[in-house]
Amino acid sequence: MISVEEALERILDEIRALNVTQIALQEALGLVLAEDVVAQEDMPPFANSAMDGFALLSRDSQPRDGHPARLRVTGGVAAGYVADHQVEEGTAMRIMTGAPVPPGADTVIEVELTHSDGPDSEWVEIMKAVTPGNNIRPAGEDMRRGQTVLLRGTEIGPWEIGVLATVGWAKVPVTRRARVAVLSTGDEIVDVDQLLQPGKIRNSNGYLLEAAIRQAGAEPHRLGIAQDTIESLREKFSEAIKYDLIITSGGVSVGDFDLVKNIMTEQGEINFWRINMRPGKPVAFGHIGGVPLLGLPGNPVSAAVTFELFGRPVIRKMLGHTRLLRPQIDVVVEDGVRERVMRRHYVRAHVTWQNGRFLARTTGNQGSHITTSLLNANALVIVHEGGAQIHPGDLAKAIMLDWPEV
Ligand code: AMP
Ligand code: MG
């Protein structure tokens, strides 16, 4: 039995980032940029107005003999259009936010600082003297042509997508999205829409893992349920090896019908089996047909927790991420952990920020079949090997499952 740390290291050692592909911009959310993005144009591409107002010569804005300057309005320019004439001395042009500053004008005054006769007024009074460049957004103020605006390795979020659209990247080079096969095993497992016959339970793991895989940024493919026979597993694995990663649940323990390891030795190899942890001791990792295989335990809580600790980092590494692990923080365990186990214990908890510290409250019965103990949990409190005890109010480390990886 190996430690959690050794298991993670041995798994990640075997995982490489997938190849690079071009993807439509709108599909790039959550993926990792595979090239630097260099602006090919100045942005904004032209000097434009930051306000609705009037474009004029700044020296025309000075009051004369104690009266506000009064200028003749020669026309207007809306966003998306270009002025068809110059702004001459003694004149002004109506201008809208985002419209190119017309030639001749060196400043813009916002409409709130002017008086006029309404939208068609042929004159405007300038109520405040303005300096050159006022309310003008110069060309290239956001990005200069040739400037690197995004670095390869960046995770693409909505704001990065906005910048990619700004520079006109309709297709984006990214590390391709991993395709992950999800296989549930067990003669007792039936699909979610089936009536429960005696001895049967529903395939919660398949759906849970599919969702967790999608949340990790990969594309899950649910292969359904394999029976606890070598033949059924062989058939399912012949399909599974078409994917980048295989995640199974169940069938990796020491029971008479736990045959996943048999298939792994028959068709590939086992790198390790069993981790000194709870929940989730029977985890197997290896390869089948060159495809990494993470064999997770059947108990739903174990499958969920071991996916978070091992499956998610694997997927992130395949996606090209460099930050693979959730942050650990110090928490005060309000209710403590009464149960003493010799293995490393990951206790589901809800962590909140209260009175200047993080407070963890465990989610009740921590049995690995208690799926409701996952509900409302946003953290795993770590209890060290050897039967360590956490009394109410003790400090402990917690892995924050809803914080981004560091
Ligand atoms: P196993 O690791 O195959 O011995 O399974 C351990 C426990 O997890 C058993 O009680 C199984 O019935 C249960 N289990 C296995 N697979 C699933 C699944 N896909 N959904 C829900 N429970 C499962
Ligand atoms: Mg089983």
Side-chain angles (χ1 to χ4, degrees), residues 50-231:
M51 289 282 183
D52 297 321
F54 291 86
L56 67 156
L57 282 76
S58 52
R59 62 175 184 271
D60 280 348
S61 66
Q62 296 294 336
R64 305 252 155 88
D65 314 321
H67 295 288
R70 186 180 169 101
L71 305 175
R72 188 162 57 83
V73 176
T74 63
V77 53
Y81 298 91
V82 178
D84 59 3
H85 60 276
Q86 291 234 137
V87 174
E88 314 268 359
E89 206 173 328
T91 73
M93 209 181 281
R94 214 169 267 108
I95 191 165
M96 304 304 141
T97 305
V101 176
D106 69 353
T107 195
V108 168
I109 186 160
E110 53 266 52
V111 73
E112 292 85 347
L113 298 178
T114 67
H115 275 164
S116 72
D117 221 3
D120 298 320
S121 179
E122 291 182 351
W123 56 269
V124 61
E125 281 180 356
I126 308 300
M127 309 312 290
K128 188 177 174 233
V130 283
T131 51
N134 191 50
N135 292 325
I136 293 179
R137 309 191 282 211
E141 192 181 29
D142 187 8
M143 306 170 195
R144 285 256 163 235
R145 183 178 171 193
Q147 183 186 334
T148 302
V149 290
L150 285 169
L151 291 174
R152 79 187 274 261
T154 301
E155 176 172 348
I156 301 172
W159 297 358
E160 286 72 24
I161 290 202
V163 167
L164 288 161
T166 299
V167 298
W169 284 38
K171 295 233 166 215
V172 187
V174 293
T175 304
R176 130 181 118 67
R177 204 181 283 287
R179 301 172 68 239
V180 182
V182 186
L183 180 63
S184 306
T185 72
D187 284 358
E188 75 279 34
I189 311 300
V190 298
D191 210 346
V192 288
D193 54 358
Q194 303 297 300
L195 267 182
L196 287 185
Q197 303 295 343
K200 307 293 181 186
I201 56 165
R202 296 195 185 91
N203 180 16
S204 67
N205 292 349
Y207 289 88
L208 182 157
L209 291 170
E210 181 183 4
I213 288 163
R214 182 167 292 125
Q215 196 172 56
E219 191 181 294
H221 292 263
R222 207 167 358 97
L223 301 189
I225 303 155
Q227 301 297 302
D228 288 320
T229 63
I230 285 287
E231 294 70 34

